[in-house]
Amino acid sequence: MKKDKILVIGACGQIGVELTLALRKIYGEANVLASDLREEHDLLKGTGPYVSLDVMNKEMLHVLVIRHNITQIYLLAAILSATGEKNPLLAWHINMQSLLNVLDIAKEEHIDKVYWPSSIAVFGPNSPKESTPQHTIIEPTTIYGISKFAGERWCEYYSHRYGVDVRSLRYPGLISYKSAPGGGTTDYAIEIFHEALEEKKYTCFLSEGTYLPMMYMPDAIRATIELMEADKEKVKVRSSYNLGGMSFSPKEIAAEIKKHIPEFTISYEPDYRQQIADGWPQSMDDTLARQDWGWKPEFDLEKMTTDMLKNLKK
């Protein structure tokens, strides 16, 4: 067991639950402090320490970091793309201020490492759609994307100016059987599995040919931990790394599900989320992540679909 003391902020969210459990396996249950504004997630209960924390309260956060001798912080609290469009100023305030609070405390207390996730939402309609490069035109059109892009710049700034070892990944759409969707534009790819099993039909809020980069949660958790475990000198991108898994459309995932549930049907009623998705990449070029710290995804659409259905049936 390593001697690190880790704080996970937003531990009850879509990524937080599974990441917290994975970190507790590596570092020991007592050394990973989970925190969130909401009640402790059922899957976390009894697996290690938990505190109620509002990341917007900088003094409270600072005291917690000192009191628990925290050496690493994972900041996962955020308002996601679709939810953010309903209250843009709130989304901007929470997504930005939470990051600045953590970066500032990391600087003052000489925290070893900070993790903060970015997203494919940083890209916009003028970014190349296929194999979107690490460095390209970035003109996000959602408040979520704007806040993530601004956050990337802050991360790089704190890294170069103050030497804060902050690391980040641009997550694609994430798919998990353990936690519910969090209000993102790629949520259909989780909902479709639940509806297929329960109702044998699904109405999708994106059109059938909408390709988006996606990733199965076990790959996302592994990528996060591999990046954080990488030697400092190997982490050359201090804004946020492109991360690739798979790309598919609603029509393709429906066809894959039909192989397991032949009576499953899908219909399409695109809503406001279609416009968000249309501005995003269709696939990612993650060459730098592969080169710098050896990233390699394990799951494709077929393997993920089999695993999702198997676990949801349980």
Side-chain angles (χ1 to χ4, degrees), residues 195-216:
E195 295 294 314
L197 285 168
E198 290 160 27
E199 308 293 334
K200 306 289 185 274
K201 65 180 195 289
Y202 177 62
T203 303
C204 185
F205 56 74
L206 297 180
S207 64
E208 64 173 31
T210 307
Y211 276 87
L212 287 168
M214 297 282 191
M215 182 168 282
Y216 197 29

Side-chain angles (χ1 to χ4, degrees), residues 21 24 29 40-50:
L21 293 171
R24 282 177 173 165
E29 292 175 357
E40 187 175 12
H41 195 284
D42 286 345
L43 290 172
L44 293 179
K45 284 176 181 168
T47 69
Y50 183 83

Side-chain angles (χ1 to χ4, degrees), residues 273-292:
R273 288 168 282 196
Q274 183 66 50
Q275 196 179 350
I276 297 175
D278 288 343
W280 287 358
Q282 293 177 358
S283 60
M284 301 286 281
D285 178 356
D286 60 1
T287 305
L288 288 180
R290 290 169 186 258
Q291 276 174 7
D292 291 358

Side-chain angles (χ1 to χ4, degrees), residues 251-268:
K251 186 179 178 182
E252 286 177 347
I253 194 172
E256 201 58 48
I257 289 170
K258 269 179 90 75
K259 292 178 187 175
H260 300 264
I261 307 169
E263 63 273 36
F264 174 66
T265 59
I266 186 169
S267 55
Y268 303 92

